[in-house]
Amino acid sequence: MPPADLGRGTAAAALGGVRRPGPYERPGGSGRYGGRSNRLDRSQTCPFLLRVFHKIGNHHSLEAFAVRGKEPVDDELQVYTWPDVTLRELADLVKDVAPEARTPTARLHFRLIYPDKSGKNVMTELGEVTTGKRGPDDFKPLSSTSKFQTGDLLDLAIYP
């Protein structure tokens, strides 16, 4: 018998010690953000730091990321997440800190920044999420691109 969740107090007691699944987890592996059968077990996997640089109305230039340690930190959002994070999950996290991203018509356009074989940074398109409606890139996991590795950066343009 699993131990009761002591942090839930009366909610856990009302359910007879059974913990209800949250919005990111559902019985059978089909959560709010897609029902991938090869879903990563987030309770058993350590998250990593993902650095997201957001800008209103446009992307940052590639030159802003040319020197490691000289990134535009005023626009930086540090997120601890898992490799299977979707663009919709990232958009929901950005909405918590950027009021411009909360409008129903806001579009969030993601780009991946990573070093190529020579060490020079390269930008590649990841996808776009519209806050008010579902789209084809919503459930695209960050790890779906073969170029993504831990330590890469994300550039995010927010079009309110």
Side-chain angles (χ1 to χ4, degrees), residues 5 25 33 65 71 87-88 92 96 105 110 112 139 145:
D5 187 357
E25 55 184 321
Y33 294 108
F65 303 99
E71 295 90 1
L87 296 183
R88 173 61 68 177
D92 287 346
D96 289 340
T105 59
F110 294 89
L112 177 67
F139 302 114
T145 174

Side-chain angles (χ1 to χ4, degrees), residues 10-61:
T10 58
L15 294 172
V18 177
R19 186 177 166 275
R20 287 188 344 185
Y24 301 107
E25 55 184 321
R26 294 268 168 89
S30 61
R32 176 176 170 188
Y33 294 108
R36 296 177 298 279
S37 61
N38 58 350
R39 188 162 174 99
L40 183 73
D41 184 4
R42 290 183 174 185
S43 67
Q44 300 295 319
T45 305
C46 183
F48 66 93
L49 174 66
L50 179 63
R51 298 175 69 193
V52 181
F53 298 89
H54 58 91
K55 187 175 180 182
I56 309 302
N58 207 352
H59 282 281
H60 292 90
S61 67

Side-chain angles (χ1 to χ4, degrees), residues 91-112:
D92 287 346
L93 292 171
V94 170
K95 287 192 294 187
D96 289 340
V97 296
E100 301 84 3
R102 295 180 195 145
T103 64
T105 59
R107 293 179 301 121
L108 286 74
H109 190 264
F110 294 89
R111 287 185 180 169
L112 177 67

